Amino acid sequence: MNRKKEFTEALKYSFPITVPVLIGYLFLSIAYGILMKAKGFDTWLAVFMSLAAYCGSMQYIAANYLFLAPFNPIYAFILTLTVNARMSFEGISMVNKYKRTGIFKPFLIFLLTDETFSILYSAKIPENINRKYFLFLVSFLDYSYWVIGTLIGCMLGEFIKFNTKGLDFVLTALFVVIFVEQWIENKNKGRTAAIIGLICSIPIMIFKTNTFIILAMILIFAVITVIYNIEKYKNKKSK
């Protein structure tokens, strides 16, 4: 099978798998594009952010806070690091999947998102489908959905004027849905992380500080670290 045919077959197999991401990404990215225009930003900046940053949650945070606040690179760095800390764990989980992917590897690393991870990590790739092409195409298709949706949102925001109040809540709503779904699917110990996150976040929310996300993430990390070490000590002692 020649490379062109392998690529075509991989594309035919990959696209249907990414349709759920297509629907979700288009909605979120269109909302992001409209929000950026409503905040007074140029189309090129919104599209450039989607092309170069490609991090949905941080793009919404940047539109609502970082771009509008006084320039503070240290705060921006820490905030980005904490919000996207989960990507480190997802990346580690994909090390074996990304082995022997050659020139595709840098692109696969850059294009990894929560949704792409959920598809690729559990994917059972048929023997007749080129593994490298499949990994790349799923990642690239998801990426293209986000960029195209951003451009569409900017175009809509340019020509259609309407009340965008509450539009920036779309990502928060998405996280709530994800939290509820994970709560339903996971039981017993599977809900421990969710409970820790809620307990650690509520006290900090009361103070209404601009560094809420950073403080909450630090506290969550500290609590989980303590619990992990306690469990490790108990297991070691039982042996």
Side-chain angles (χ1 to χ4, degrees), residues 62-231:
N64 286 297
Y65 303 106
L66 298 184
F67 288 161
L68 302 176
F71 182 62
N72 190 336
I74 296 177
Y75 173 74
F77 171 77
I78 295 175
L79 181 60
T80 304
L81 186 64
T82 52
V83 170
N84 294 315
R86 69 193 185 284
M87 298 305 301
S88 300
F89 301 100
E90 293 179 3
I92 292 171
S93 301
M94 294 299 292
V95 169
N96 290 329
K97 284 273 187 180
Y98 286 172
K99 282 183 178 179
R100 298 182 298 278
T101 51
I103 60 173
F104 290 112
K105 185 177 287 186
F107 298 100
L108 293 173
I109 293 171
F110 170 70
L111 298 176
L112 185 64
T113 62
D114 296 330
E115 293 75 19
T116 302
F117 169 79
S118 65
I119 293 176
L120 297 183
Y121 185 75
S122 58
K124 300 295 187 294
I125 308 172
E127 293 183 1
N128 64 316
I129 299 297
N130 186 297
R131 186 179 67 89
K132 290 189 292 186
Y133 288 162
F134 171 78
L135 294 173
F136 172 74
L137 284 169
V138 169
S139 303
F140 182 77
L141 285 171
D142 290 348
Y143 176 62
S144 64
Y145 302 152
W146 185 265
V147 175
I148 293 171
T150 300
L151 181 59
I152 294 173
C154 290
M155 293 172 64
L156 290 175
E158 188 75 38
F159 299 107
I160 303 174
K161 304 300 180 182
F162 55 89
N163 188 359
T164 59
K165 185 177 181 180
L167 189 62
D168 53 352
F169 188 73
V170 64
L171 200 67
T172 304
L174 175 65
F175 284 142
V176 171
V177 172
I178 293 173
F179 175 83
V180 172
E181 286 181 348
Q182 291 181 342
W183 181 270
I184 294 172
E185 291 177 4
N186 297 305
K187 296 181 179 180
N188 302 326
K189 290 186 177 180
R191 294 176 174 176
T192 302
I195 294 172
I196 292 172
L198 284 174
I199 294 174
C200 292
S201 301
I202 291 174
I204 298 175
M205 288 175 63
I206 296 173
F207 294 102
K208 296 181 180 180
T209 173
N210 291 332
T211 57
F212 156 71
I213 297 177
I214 296 176
L215 294 175
M217 290 294 291
I218 292 173
L219 184 57
I220 291 169
F221 178 77
V223 171
I224 291 177
T225 302
V226 170
I227 293 174
Y228 171 78
N229 285 299
I230 291 174
E231 290 291 332

Side-chain angles (χ1 to χ4, degrees), residues 225-239:
T225 302
V226 170
I227 293 174
Y228 171 78
N229 285 299
I230 291 174
E231 290 291 332
K232 188 177 180 180
Y233 175 76
K234 286 181 178 179
N235 294 333
K236 189 175 180 180
K237 193 174 181 180
S238 62
K239 292 179 181 180

